[in-house]
Amino acid sequence: TEGSYQVVKFLDEDGPFAIYRQHFLSQKTEGKRSYISLGANDPLCVKLGSKPEEKRAFSIINLSAAGGPRREMLIASPRLFKTLHAAHFSPQGPLTKNYWALSRTGKMQTTTYHVNPVKPRDLMEDWQIDEAAAEQAVATFKPYTRADLKEPTWEELGQIANSLL
């Protein structure tokens, strides 16, 4: 939600667990949907002229999630990744070292992402999150892998492209 913070913990020790390109297309009846690109010659590129955007996927634990800590995928656009990259190489980095308060403001081309470090000792005072409970929750989750992303087949992308012609 714009302007609200979510406190997260990054799990991936070696950066994003997946880097890929993604189509974001308007469907006739379902609104917008995203599809992982299979390369420059995939049917969505060839038949529809779609230009997929580069994405980077991170494993995070969202400590601000309704119902308690939850493992989630953070799919970063180039703009968000640039902000995460700067945070990773800042004196407070790497991303796996601290917790981070994430927020965004603006829409579309004016979107700005905010990534602020949160030390474990400050979780309770600043965010009303119990440090011991947070550490315990983080320890129970494993990072995602590339296999956790649903990649379509060439046939599936061909059928999608044909349905949108």
Side-chain angles (χ1 to χ4, degrees):
T1 307
E2 182 174 344
S4 68
Y5 284 91
Q6 294 194 7
V7 177
V8 304
K9 176 77 172 173
F10 285 85
L11 298 179
D12 307 299
E13 292 291 333
D14 298 320
F17 71 86
I19 299 172
Y20 59 95
R21 298 185 73 73
Q22 180 177 330
H23 297 280
F24 196 61
L25 303 171
S26 294
Q27 306 293 298
K28 292 180 178 174
T29 59
E30 303 171 24
K32 291 193 173 224
R33 292 213 37 210
S34 62
Y35 303 95
I36 293 177
S37 176
L38 298 177
N41 294 324
D42 80 27
L44 301 180
C45 295
V46 173
K47 293 182 178 183
L48 302 177
S50 175
K51 300 204 182 318
E53 181 178 59
E54 188 165 289
K55 300 289 183 179
R56 287 175 167 83
F58 293 87
S59 306
I60 63 167
I61 303 304
N62 184 346
L63 298 170
S64 302
R70 179 172 75 205
R71 181 178 74 151
E72 297 177 353
M73 285 186 199
L74 174 64
I75 309 299
S77 65
R79 186 174 295 185
L80 174 55
F81 179 71
K82 189 174 184 180
T83 304
L84 292 173
H85 187 268
H88 181 75
F89 289 102
S90 73
Q92 293 81 25
L95 289 174
T96 54
K97 178 180 171 186
N98 287 307
Y99 294 89
W100 298 87
L102 308 180
S103 69
R104 71 172 172 80
T105 55
K107 293 184 182 199
M108 312 259 313
Q109 300 304 323
T110 64
T111 301
T112 302
Y113 294 97
H114 309 279
V115 180
N116 302 313
V118 177
K119 292 185 189 285
R121 68 171 187 245
D122 297 332
L123 284 172
M124 182 55 84
E125 183 177 337
D126 295 344
W127 303 97
Q128 292 70 56
I129 297 171
D130 180 76
E131 179 183 349
E135 291 293 330
Q136 186 177 15
V138 167
T140 64
F141 292 105
K142 296 200 179 310
Y144 287 104
T145 67
R146 176 71 190 227
D148 291 313
L149 292 174
K150 184 192 177 312
E151 288 194 56
T153 64
W154 283 85
E155 281 182 26
E156 290 170 331
L157 289 185
Q159 290 171 353
I160 292 161
N162 290 339
S163 75
L164 295 174
L165 287 174

PDB file of all heavy atoms in Angstrom, residues 89-116:
ATOM      1  N   PHE A  89      24.825  -2.394  -0.884  1.00  0.00           N
ATOM      2  CA  PHE A  89      26.216  -1.952  -0.841  1.00  0.00           C
ATOM      3  C   PHE A  89      26.430  -0.723   0.045  1.00  0.00           C
ATOM      4  O   PHE A  89      27.501  -0.132   0.044  1.00  0.00           O
ATOM      5  CB  PHE A  89      26.735  -1.710  -2.259  1.00  0.00           C
ATOM      6  CG  PHE A  89      26.921  -3.000  -3.013  1.00  0.00           C
ATOM      7  CD1 PHE A  89      25.986  -3.405  -3.944  1.00  0.00           C
ATOM      8  CD2 PHE A  89      28.003  -3.817  -2.744  1.00  0.00           C
ATOM      9  CE1 PHE A  89      26.141  -4.606  -4.624  1.00  0.00           C
ATOM     10  CE2 PHE A  89      28.168  -5.026  -3.406  1.00  0.00           C
ATOM     11  CZ  PHE A  89      27.234  -5.425  -4.356  1.00  0.00           C
ATOM     12  N   SER A  90      25.414  -0.365   0.820  1.00  0.00           N
ATOM     13  CA  SER A  90      25.547   0.746   1.769  1.00  0.00           C
ATOM     14  C   SER A  90      26.259   0.252   3.026  1.00  0.00           C
ATOM     15  O   SER A  90      26.431  -0.958   3.214  1.00  0.00           O
ATOM     16  CB  SER A  90      24.158   1.285   2.137  1.00  0.00           C
ATOM     17  OG  SER A  90      23.493   0.376   2.996  1.00  0.00           O
ATOM     18  N   PRO A  91      26.651   1.160   3.924  1.00  0.00           N
ATOM     19  CA  PRO A  91      27.257   0.717   5.185  1.00  0.00           C
ATOM     20  C   PRO A  91      26.338  -0.189   6.010  1.00  0.00           C
ATOM     21  O   PRO A  91      26.818  -0.971   6.831  1.00  0.00           O
ATOM     22  CB  PRO A  91      27.524   2.037   5.931  1.00  0.00           C
ATOM     23  CG  PRO A  91      27.668   3.056   4.853  1.00  0.00           C
ATOM     24  CD  PRO A  91      26.706   2.616   3.768  1.00  0.00           C
ATOM     25  N   GLN A  92      25.019  -0.117   5.797  1.00  0.00           N
ATOM     26  CA  GLN A  92      24.079  -0.961   6.537  1.00  0.00           C
ATOM     27  C   GLN A  92      23.913  -2.336   5.901  1.00  0.00           C
ATOM     28  O   GLN A  92      23.292  -3.214   6.486  1.00  0.00           O
ATOM     29  CB  GLN A  92      22.699  -0.282   6.637  1.00  0.00           C
ATOM     30  CG  GLN A  92      22.704   0.964   7.486  1.00  0.00           C
ATOM     31  CD  GLN A  92      23.215   2.177   6.734  1.00  0.00           C
ATOM     32  OE1 GLN A  92      23.152   2.256   5.511  1.00  0.00           O
ATOM     33  NE2 GLN A  92      23.763   3.145   7.461  1.00  0.00           N
ATOM     34  N   GLY A  93      24.412  -2.520   4.696  1.00  0.00           N
ATOM     35  CA  GLY A  93      24.272  -3.777   3.967  1.00  0.00           C
ATOM     36  C   GLY A  93      25.222  -4.834   4.494  1.00  0.00           C
ATOM     37  O   GLY A  93      25.988  -4.584   5.418  1.00  0.00           O
ATOM     38  N   PRO A  94      25.147  -6.026   3.931  1.00  0.00           N
ATOM     39  CA  PRO A  94      24.294  -6.450   2.826  1.00  0.00           C
ATOM     40  C   PRO A  94      22.827  -6.616   3.249  1.00  0.00           C
ATOM     41  O   PRO A  94      22.516  -6.503   4.433  1.00  0.00           O
ATOM     42  CB  PRO A  94      24.893  -7.798   2.422  1.00  0.00           C
ATOM     43  CG  PRO A  94      25.493  -8.333   3.682  1.00  0.00           C
ATOM     44  CD  PRO A  94      25.987  -7.108   4.431  1.00  0.00           C
ATOM     45  N   LEU A  95      21.961  -6.890   2.279  1.00  0.00           N
ATOM     46  CA  LEU A  95      20.527  -6.985   2.557  1.00  0.00           C
ATOM     47  C   LEU A  95      20.200  -8.039   3.606  1.00  0.00           C
ATOM     48  O   LEU A  95      19.242  -7.892   4.360  1.00  0.00           O
ATOM     49  CB  LEU A  95      19.748  -7.276   1.271  1.00  0.00           C
ATOM     50  CG  LEU A  95      19.660  -6.128   0.273  1.00  0.00           C
ATOM     51  CD1 LEU A  95      18.993  -6.586  -1.027  1.00  0.00           C
ATOM     52  CD2 LEU A  95      18.931  -4.934   0.849  1.00  0.00           C
ATOM     53  N   THR A  96      20.990  -9.107   3.668  1.00  0.00           N
ATOM     54  CA  THR A  96      20.704 -10.178   4.628  1.00  0.00           C
ATOM     55  C   THR A  96      21.154  -9.834   6.049  1.00  0.00           C
ATOM     56  O   THR A  96      20.838 -10.558   6.987  1.00  0.00           O
ATOM     57  CB  THR A  96      21.391 -11.491   4.200  1.00  0.00           C
ATOM     58  OG1 THR A  96      22.786 -11.240   4.003  1.00  0.00           O
ATOM     59  CG2 THR A  96      20.757 -12.044   2.936  1.00  0.00           C
ATOM     60  N   LYS A  97      21.869  -8.726   6.218  1.00  0.00           N
ATOM     61  CA  LYS A  97      22.412  -8.373   7.538  1.00  0.00           C
ATOM     62  C   LYS A  97      21.333  -7.868   8.491  1.00  0.00           C
ATOM     63  O   LYS A  97      21.252  -8.303   9.633  1.00  0.00           O
ATOM     64  CB  LYS A  97      23.493  -7.314   7.372  1.00  0.00           C
ATOM     65  CG  LYS A  97      24.103  -6.837   8.671  1.00  0.00           C
ATOM     66  CD  LYS A  97      25.163  -5.785   8.385  1.00  0.00           C
ATOM     67  CE  LYS A  97      25.645  -5.115   9.647  1.00  0.00           C
ATOM     68  NZ  LYS A  97      26.554  -4.007   9.343  1.00  0.00           N
ATOM     69  N   ASN A  98      20.533  -6.925   8.069  1.00  0.00           N
ATOM     70  CA  ASN A  98      19.530  -6.297   8.920  1.00  0.00           C
ATOM     71  C   ASN A  98      18.125  -6.669   8.465  1.00  0.00           C
ATOM     72  O   ASN A  98      17.935  -7.411   7.516  1.00  0.00           O
ATOM     73  CB  ASN A  98      19.659  -4.765   8.840  1.00  0.00           C
ATOM     74  CG  ASN A  98      20.870  -4.243   9.558  1.00  0.00           C
ATOM     75  OD1 ASN A  98      21.074  -4.535  10.723  1.00  0.00           O
ATOM     76  ND2 ASN A  98      21.678  -3.453   8.859  1.00  0.00           N
ATOM     77  N   TYR A  99      17.174  -6.089   9.147  1.00  0.00           N
ATOM     78  CA  TYR A  99      15.803  -6.058   8.658  1.00  0.00           C
ATOM     79  C   TYR A  99      15.693  -4.767   7.863  1.00  0.00           C
ATOM     80  O   TYR A  99      16.516  -3.854   8.009  1.00  0.00           O
ATOM     81  CB  TYR A  99      14.810  -6.060   9.828  1.00  0.00           C
ATOM     82  CG  TYR A  99      14.853  -7.347  10.609  1.00  0.00           C
ATOM     83  CD1 TYR A  99      15.724  -7.502  11.681  1.00  0.00           C
ATOM     84  CD2 TYR A  99      14.023  -8.414  10.261  1.00  0.00           C
ATOM     85  CE1 TYR A  99      15.778  -8.693  12.386  1.00  0.00           C
ATOM     86  CE2 TYR A  99      14.071  -9.606  10.970  1.00  0.00           C
ATOM     87  CZ  TYR A  99      14.954  -9.735  12.028  1.00  0.00           C
ATOM     88  OH  TYR A  99      14.998 -10.914  12.713  1.00  0.00           O
ATOM     89  N   TRP A 100      14.657  -4.667   7.049  1.00  0.00           N
ATOM     90  CA  TRP A 100      14.499  -3.480   6.210  1.00  0.00           C
ATOM     91  C   TRP A 100      13.040  -3.065   6.200  1.00  0.00           C
ATOM     92  O   TRP A 100      12.144  -3.917   6.115  1.00  0.00           O
ATOM     93  CB  TRP A 100      14.967  -3.770   4.776  1.00  0.00           C
ATOM     94  CG  TRP A 100      16.418  -4.134   4.736  1.00  0.00           C
ATOM     95  CD1 TRP A 100      16.956  -5.382   4.904  1.00  0.00           C
ATOM     96  CD2 TRP A 100      17.518  -3.241   4.569  1.00  0.00           C
ATOM     97  NE1 TRP A 100      18.323  -5.311   4.843  1.00  0.00           N
ATOM     98  CE2 TRP A 100      18.697  -4.012   4.632  1.00  0.00           C
ATOM     99  CE3 TRP A 100      17.622  -1.863   4.361  1.00  0.00           C
ATOM    100  CZ2 TRP A 100      19.961  -3.456   4.504  1.00  0.00           C
ATOM    101  CZ3 TRP A 100      18.887  -1.318   4.223  1.00  0.00           C
ATOM    102  CH2 TRP A 100      20.042  -2.102   4.295  1.00  0.00           C
ATOM    103  N   ALA A 101      12.809  -1.775   6.297  1.00  0.00           N
ATOM    104  CA  ALA A 101      11.463  -1.217   6.177  1.00  0.00           C
ATOM    105  C   ALA A 101      11.309  -0.741   4.743  1.00  0.00           C
ATOM    106  O   ALA A 101      12.047   0.144   4.287  1.00  0.00           O
ATOM    107  CB  ALA A 101      11.270  -0.068   7.161  1.00  0.00           C
ATOM    108  N   LEU A 102      10.386  -1.343   4.012  1.00  0.00           N
ATOM    109  CA  LEU A 102      10.164  -1.024   2.597  1.00  0.00           C
ATOM    110  C   LEU A 102       8.863  -0.250   2.444  1.00  0.00           C
ATOM    111  O   LEU A 102       7.866  -0.575   3.072  1.00  0.00           O
ATOM    112  CB  LEU A 102      10.061  -2.306   1.766  1.00  0.00           C
ATOM    113  CG  LEU A 102      11.166  -3.343   1.907  1.00  0.00           C
ATOM    114  CD1 LEU A 102      10.871  -4.539   1.009  1.00  0.00           C
ATOM    115  CD2 LEU A 102      12.516  -2.746   1.569  1.00  0.00           C
ATOM    116  N   SER A 103       8.890   0.753   1.569  1.00  0.00           N
ATOM    117  CA  SER A 103       7.660   1.473   1.230  1.00  0.00           C
ATOM    118  C   SER A 103       7.817   2.052  -0.160  1.00  0.00           C
ATOM    119  O   SER A 103       8.921   2.088  -0.720  1.00  0.00           O
ATOM    120  CB  SER A 103       7.358   2.589   2.245  1.00  0.00           C
ATOM    121  OG  SER A 103       8.304   3.626   2.118  1.00  0.00           O
ATOM    122  N   ARG A 104       6.702   2.486  -0.709  1.00  0.00           N
ATOM    123  CA  ARG A 104       6.734   3.145  -2.017  1.00  0.00           C
ATOM    124  C   ARG A 104       5.771   4.311  -2.008  1.00  0.00           C
ATOM    125  O   ARG A 104       4.774   4.314  -1.287  1.00  0.00           O
ATOM    126  CB  ARG A 104       6.409   2.186  -3.143  1.00  0.00           C
ATOM    127  CG  ARG A 104       4.981   1.755  -3.203  1.00  0.00           C
ATOM    128  CD  ARG A 104       4.693   0.942  -4.468  1.00  0.00           C
ATOM    129  NE  ARG A 104       3.373   0.378  -4.404  1.00  0.00           N
ATOM    130  CZ  ARG A 104       2.267   1.046  -4.678  1.00  0.00           C
ATOM    131  NH1 ARG A 104       2.316   2.284  -5.064  1.00  0.00           N
ATOM    132  NH2 ARG A 104       1.086   0.466  -4.582  1.00  0.00           N
ATOM    133  N   THR A 105       6.088   5.296  -2.829  1.00  0.00           N
ATOM    134  CA  THR A 105       5.204   6.438  -3.042  1.00  0.00           C
ATOM    135  C   THR A 105       5.131   6.683  -4.535  1.00  0.00           C
ATOM    136  O   THR A 105       6.024   6.293  -5.288  1.00  0.00           O
ATOM    137  CB  THR A 105       5.723   7.707  -2.325  1.00  0.00           C
ATOM    138  OG1 THR A 105       7.064   7.962  -2.748  1.00  0.00           O
ATOM    139  CG2 THR A 105       5.691   7.548  -0.819  1.00  0.00           C
ATOM    140  N   GLY A 106       4.072   7.327  -4.966  1.00  0.00           N
ATOM    141  CA  GLY A 106       3.902   7.638  -6.380  1.00  0.00           C
ATOM    142  C   GLY A 106       3.300   6.484  -7.149  1.00  0.00           C
ATOM    143  O   GLY A 106       3.059   5.400  -6.612  1.00  0.00           O
ATOM    144  N   LYS A 107       3.068   6.726  -8.433  1.00  0.00           N
ATOM    145  CA  LYS A 107       2.475   5.713  -9.309  1.00  0.00           C
ATOM    146  C   LYS A 107       3.204   5.693 -10.639  1.00  0.00           C
ATOM    147  O   LYS A 107       3.748   6.708 -11.078  1.00  0.00           O
ATOM    148  CB  LYS A 107       0.997   6.014  -9.564  1.00  0.00           C
ATOM    149  CG  LYS A 107       0.149   5.877  -8.335  1.00  0.00           C
ATOM    150  CD  LYS A 107      -1.304   6.086  -8.652  1.00  0.00           C
ATOM    151  CE  LYS A 107      -2.077   5.968  -7.347  1.00  0.00           C
ATOM    152  NZ  LYS A 107      -3.441   5.712  -7.506  1.00  0.00           N
ATOM    153  N   MET A 108       3.195   4.530 -11.253  1.00  0.00           N
ATOM    154  CA  MET A 108       3.769   4.323 -12.582  1.00  0.00           C
ATOM    155  C   MET A 108       5.184   4.916 -12.667  1.00  0.00           C
ATOM    156  O   MET A 108       6.031   4.539 -11.892  1.00  0.00           O
ATOM    157  CB  MET A 108       2.838   4.905 -13.654  1.00  0.00           C
ATOM    158  CG  MET A 108       1.394   4.490 -13.477  1.00  0.00           C
ATOM    159  SD  MET A 108       0.738   3.186 -14.496  1.00  0.00           S
ATOM    160  CE  MET A 108       1.208   3.523 -16.121  1.00  0.00           C
ATOM    161  N   GLN A 109       5.402   5.856 -13.570  1.00  0.00           N
ATOM    162  CA  GLN A 109       6.743   6.398 -13.794  1.00  0.00           C
ATOM    163  C   GLN A 109       7.244   7.269 -12.650  1.00  0.00           C
ATOM    164  O   GLN A 109       8.431   7.574 -12.589  1.00  0.00           O
ATOM    165  CB  GLN A 109       6.779   7.195 -15.105  1.00  0.00           C
ATOM    166  CG  GLN A 109       6.430   6.378 -16.337  1.00  0.00           C
ATOM    167  CD  GLN A 109       7.319   5.153 -16.502  1.00  0.00           C
ATOM    168  OE1 GLN A 109       8.507   5.189 -16.223  1.00  0.00           O
ATOM    169  NE2 GLN A 109       6.728   4.042 -16.930  1.00  0.00           N
ATOM    170  N   THR A 110       6.359   7.692 -11.753  1.00  0.00           N
ATOM    171  CA  THR A 110       6.792   8.535 -10.636  1.00  0.00           C
ATOM    172  C   THR A 110       6.959   7.741  -9.338  1.00  0.00           C
ATOM    173  O   THR A 110       7.132   8.333  -8.282  1.00  0.00           O
ATOM    174  CB  THR A 110       5.797   9.695 -10.393  1.00  0.00           C
ATOM    175  OG1 THR A 110       4.538   9.146 -10.001  1.00  0.00           O
ATOM    176  CG2 THR A 110       5.640  10.554 -11.632  1.00  0.00           C
ATOM    177  N   THR A 111       6.920   6.425  -9.424  1.00  0.00           N
ATOM    178  CA  THR A 111       7.077   5.588  -8.230  1.00  0.00           C
ATOM    179  C   THR A 111       8.483   5.745  -7.659  1.00  0.00           C
ATOM    180  O   THR A 111       9.468   5.692  -8.391  1.00  0.00           O
ATOM    181  CB  THR A 111       6.815   4.108  -8.555  1.00  0.00           C
ATOM    182  OG1 THR A 111       5.491   3.978  -9.068  1.00  0.00           O
ATOM    183  CG2 THR A 111       6.975   3.235  -7.319  1.00  0.00           C
ATOM    184  N   THR A 112       8.541   5.919  -6.357  1.00  0.00           N
ATOM    185  CA  THR A 112       9.806   5.964  -5.642  1.00  0.00           C
ATOM    186  C   THR A 112       9.753   4.914  -4.547  1.00  0.00           C
ATOM    187  O   THR A 112       8.754   4.800  -3.838  1.00  0.00           O
ATOM    188  CB  THR A 112      10.035   7.360  -5.010  1.00  0.00           C
ATOM    189  OG1 THR A 112      10.006   8.338  -6.045  1.00  0.00           O
ATOM    190  CG2 THR A 112      11.360   7.423  -4.282  1.00  0.00           C
ATOM    191  N   TYR A 113      10.823   4.139  -4.436  1.00  0.00           N
ATOM    192  CA  TYR A 113      10.904   3.103  -3.403  1.00  0.00           C
ATOM    193  C   TYR A 113      11.818   3.584  -2.283  1.00  0.00           C
ATOM    194  O   TYR A 113      12.844   4.224  -2.530  1.00  0.00           O
ATOM    195  CB  TYR A 113      11.439   1.798  -3.993  1.00  0.00           C
ATOM    196  CG  TYR A 113      10.483   1.205  -4.998  1.00  0.00           C
ATOM    197  CD1 TYR A 113      10.656   1.413  -6.356  1.00  0.00           C
ATOM    198  CD2 TYR A 113       9.399   0.450  -4.585  1.00  0.00           C
ATOM    199  CE1 TYR A 113       9.771   0.893  -7.286  1.00  0.00           C
ATOM    200  CE2 TYR A 113       8.506  -0.082  -5.502  1.00  0.00           C
ATOM    201  CZ  TYR A 113       8.703   0.144  -6.850  1.00  0.00           C
ATOM    202  OH  TYR A 113       7.825  -0.377  -7.751  1.00  0.00           O
ATOM    203  N   HIS A 114      11.453   3.248  -1.059  1.00  0.00           N
ATOM    204  CA  HIS A 114      12.235   3.607   0.115  1.00  0.00           C
ATOM    205  C   HIS A 114      12.634   2.316   0.823  1.00  0.00           C
ATOM    206  O   HIS A 114      11.783   1.468   1.108  1.00  0.00           O
ATOM    207  CB  HIS A 114      11.414   4.496   1.052  1.00  0.00           C
ATOM    208  CG  HIS A 114      10.803   5.663   0.346  1.00  0.00           C
ATOM    209  ND1 HIS A 114      11.490   6.817   0.063  1.00  0.00           N
ATOM    210  CD2 HIS A 114       9.569   5.826  -0.191  1.00  0.00           C
ATOM    211  CE1 HIS A 114      10.708   7.653  -0.590  1.00  0.00           C
ATOM    212  NE2 HIS A 114       9.535   7.078  -0.763  1.00  0.00           N
ATOM    213  N   VAL A 115      13.919   2.168   1.082  1.00  0.00           N
ATOM    214  CA  VAL A 115      14.462   0.975   1.726  1.00  0.00           C
ATOM    215  C   VAL A 115      15.317   1.455   2.889  1.00  0.00           C
ATOM    216  O   VAL A 115      16.413   1.968   2.699  1.00  0.00           O
ATOM    217  CB  VAL A 115      15.309   0.153   0.727  1.00  0.00           C
ATOM    218  CG1 VAL A 115      15.882  -1.079   1.396  1.00  0.00           C
ATOM    219  CG2 VAL A 115      14.468  -0.237  -0.494  1.00  0.00           C
ATOM    220  N   ASN A 116      14.777   1.304   4.105  1.00  0.00           N
ATOM    221  CA  ASN A 116      15.454   1.798   5.303  1.00  0.00           C
ATOM    222  C   ASN A 116      15.889   0.642   6.183  1.00  0.00           C
ATOM    223  O   ASN A 116      15.085  -0.245   6.484  1.00  0.00           O
ATOM    224  CB  ASN A 116      14.518   2.715   6.094  1.00  0.00           C
ATOM    225  CG  ASN A 116      14.044   3.890   5.264  1.00  0.00           C
ATOM    226  OD1 ASN A 116      14.833   4.540   4.601  1.00  0.00           O
ATOM    227  ND2 ASN A 116      12.747   4.146   5.294  1.00  0.00           N
TER     228      ASN A 116
END
